[in-house]
Amino acid sequence: METLVGRVKHYMFHNEQNGYSIAKLNIEGQQEVTIVGYFPIFSEDFDYEFNGEWVTHPSYGAQLKISSYKRMSEQSKSGVISYLSSSFFHGIGPKTAEKIVDALGADAIQKILEDKKILREVGLSAVRIEKLYQQLKEHQTNEHILVELYGYDLTMKLAMKLIKKYELATLEKLKENPYRLIDEIEGIGFIKADEIAQKLGIDTHDERRIKASIQYALQQIAYQNGDCYLTYDALSKITNEILREEVNIESMLHILVEDQKIVCEDDRYYLKQTYIQEIECASHILNISKTMLEFDEAYGKTLLDMVEIERNMIYTDAQKEAIMTSLQSSISIITGGPGTGKTTIIDGLLEVYRIYHQLNYKNPQIYEKIGLMAPTGRAAKRMSDLLDLESKTIHRHLGYNYDGMFGYDAFNQLPYDLVIIDEASMIDLNLAHKLFSAIKTSCQVVIVGDVDQLPSVGAGQFLSDLIESKMLPVVRLEQIHRQAKDSKIIRLAQLVNEQNLSPHDLSSDQDVYLYKAHTSKIMHVLIEQIKGALKEGYQLYEDIQVLAPMYKGDLGIDTLNQTLQETFNPNTKDQITYGDKNYRIGDKVIQLTNDPERLIMNGDLGVIKDIRYNSSDQPYLVVSFDQHEVTYEKSDLEDLNLAYAMSIHKSQGSEYPIVIMPMVRNFMHMLKKELIYTAITRAKKYLIILGDMQLLIYAANHLSEKRKTTLAKRLNEDIIVEQEELSPYDFM
């Protein structure tokens, strides 16, 4: 750790949003030094002490990367005069500043902050005294706050986030309850908040800590498992694991229930937000289902016959049932596996709907009548390509903006008369609640998805719960289409889904290649398979996707990505290093979070097109997401990952001509029927599985644990409990 003392004379770069800065530090009697890091604009009239580590920039050489700083207590009179007459303080010129320092001395600032009335001696009016005092207080307080925050081992970046959020009240808010940071500051979880609390001297049995751990158990641990509630015993067990000691949570839990932070219902404990989302989501769905539709069934069947002739095809009885049920119902569900013709049904449904309602699909106004949507960008794009009508993500339909807010909600509802939702198994409770709040009661809704796939990443099991409730018409598609019957991929998926996979079925055939290999050989075979596909004309980025259930391990996603990058994109000349990852021009990458400001969403795939440098010679990436170019500064790279290999969860809603999947014993605790079934059904033309084939049988016979949800129960309740209107502050 290096310590330097000097004055900041010039800023080459300063980001107002996060405080990232590049500046020149003037050290008396020495050459100027470049400092970089997260810090505010300093006065050039005061000396500061900076602590940091030396780093080397490829163009500009040595720089001190700042980890903390403080203003030196002793300052010269001339420095204080210059500071008070600077642009930081409006209405104080050099003469007034000189009068103040002459009267109060070099420690004038401290004296004013202690008692602003002493400025009367200088002859300042009450208005000017108050203005100077407030400006001094704000500027000095920010520096003081930052110095204290560093003492809690917060990074400069995180410290700047706190100041941006709480401003002058930062330390007050922090000391009042450091656990509030879990909900209010991105990047701080219970562990970090708990470390701060310990440094503040908060006792391990303090009620704030216990209450925070209870909420954290529901908010993080339960949600990681997809659960919407926990029983008392489960909540107590998880909370004690978080606290790392045995604590009776009953009294604190009772307070949280009384304070309406948590809701208890028949030994089920919910976060209030989750509880209300379930109730309101069920209420909106039931209200839509009760809407009476006027539909001439006989005429509809005649139109369907016309569409069959027009399309030169014959619908199966199940497909006809699905189309007619959807046209006659205010809300309906179509579920089925690959090859059962879900997209064909949507296409036929749309055509009959168009003729019945005399709509022109070429008229742009059609998109005010019909909303086609899916949870992910890739699923929406696939829907658009197959149906020749624009489909968008649910978030885009709801007007998700750069502030993370939704333009459409219960008070400003979507205009559509027909909504078709594809890949509904991926929808979590939170998104379902936002979507159905925004759908008007008179709208027809068709929900399409494969209920046997993995449930959503977030809490809930929306599609499964709707079907389980038996409150809505459901058409299950089980018959495989003629053109899909010969697919070994679909046959393998069926056998896994039916838990009927046997050793006899573990053989390569047509579109499935099962290669039994020792773990040590899998990477080599995997690379050779990709090379072979490339020779056949397939594209690495669009056509080939490696899937794995885990990030860590010899054949985990991280290792796979690193090895595949070194093999297929070895150019190290143009790259940016972030943590243990290198990002190079030509790399396939995936966005890991929703970023409405830049119009990219969690799961979007892109390619790094260029590495450029800003005015401060700092490198940044240019990534193309389906022709939409997005820039990534180095600090943004925590939201990006290589995507030569990705998780099976992230692949949902997408299909790839070639899917390659290692199958090793290290993955055993992750191998469940739903996971393997989802992975297999991502492959369109070829499925390649490498490793221990017996693990396929193991996975097929192990079901994921059923999630703790009560949406199905809500849909069967006669009375939906009315809740008071919520505000964002209820969830803080």
Side-chain angles (χ1 to χ4, degrees), residues 47 68 126 199 292 341 376 381 392-393 402 406 411 517 521 575 654 689 715 721:
D47 289 326
S68 66
K199 289 180 179 177
M292 299 300 293
T376 67
K381 184 177 184 300
K392 297 187 290 190
T393 64
Y402 64 89
F406 290 85
F411 306 103
K521 294 182 179 180
Q575 70 176 25
S654 301
I689 301 178
L715 288 164
V721 181

Side-chain angles (χ1 to χ4, degrees), residues 392-455:
K392 297 187 290 190
T393 64
I394 295 171
H395 280 82
R396 284 193 66 192
H397 274 288
L398 292 175
Y400 191 53
N401 62 29
Y402 64 89
D403 290 324
M405 305 297 287
F406 290 85
Y408 290 97
D409 53 25
F411 306 103
N412 180 34
Q413 293 188 311
L414 294 163
Y416 311 128
D417 297 323
L418 173 67
V419 164
I420 299 178
I421 309 161
D422 199 10
E423 296 288 354
S425 62
M426 298 176 65
I427 299 174
D428 62 18
L429 175 64
N430 179 52
L431 185 57
H433 172 257
K434 292 189 184 304
L435 174 58
F436 280 89
S437 296
I439 294 176
K440 61 187 182 184
T441 307
S442 60
C443 180
Q444 257 183 290
V445 181
V446 182
I447 301 167
V448 184
D450 185 349
V451 73
D452 295 316
Q453 282 189 27
L454 283 168

